[in-house]
Amino acid sequence: MDRINKLKEYLKSTPNDNFLQHALALEYVKIGDDWEARKLFENILNNDPKYVGSYYHLAKLLERNFETKLAIEWYEKGMAATKEAGDQHSYNELQGAYEDLVY
């Protein structure tokens, strides 16, 4: 919880910092609080669809919680965003996870 509290403290001064929100979401995933993590990942991606690092983690979280249709949608959005950004590495990760789920 100490890391969570530190990240929350940092976010007080920069509440729209995607990196800090993403880091906080990952901490919530670590402790099994998928609801809080999901809210943060969705907030990041709804406000900044170019923040490609959160697509994979949000889709995996949804997949883990048996929200397959929604996970597929986020994988697809992520693949489109990474393709647009020219981020082949992230695209390949998303595509691999997507194919594992769909096929």
Side-chain angles (χ1 to χ4, degrees):
M1 286 299 271
D2 191 40
R3 291 176 67 122
I4 289 173
N5 291 329
K6 284 181 183 178
L7 289 166
K8 284 182 174 181
E9 192 63 34
Y10 294 143
L11 279 166
K12 285 181 184 176
S13 61
T14 54
N16 296 320
D17 186 311
N18 291 331
F19 178 80
L20 291 175
Q21 288 184 60
H22 183 86
L24 181 57
L26 292 176
E27 290 301 319
Y28 280 127
V29 167
K30 284 181 190 175
I31 64 167
D33 191 342
D34 283 350
W35 177 247
E36 287 299 322
R38 179 179 178 168
K39 288 191 306 186
L40 286 163
F41 287 137
E42 287 176 342
N43 183 60
I44 293 165
L45 294 171
N46 288 327
N47 290 321
D48 186 3
K50 293 181 180 180
Y51 197 81
V52 297
S54 292
Y55 286 101
Y56 178 87
H57 293 284
L58 175 57
K60 274 295 182 192
L61 182 153
L62 293 166
E63 187 179 337
R64 189 172 57 252
N65 286 286
F66 306 103
E67 294 187 61
T68 305
K69 183 178 177 186
L70 198 52
I72 290 169
E73 290 175 22
W74 280 107
Y75 281 130
E76 290 171 344
K77 288 178 187 180
M79 286 186 291
T82 55
K83 195 171 200 176
E84 185 178 313
D87 185 345
Q88 191 63 43
H89 177 76
S90 294
Y91 177 86
N92 290 343
E93 286 184 338
L94 287 161
Q95 183 182 33
Y98 172 82
E99 289 177 355
D100 285 346
L101 181 59
V102 173
Y103 300 113

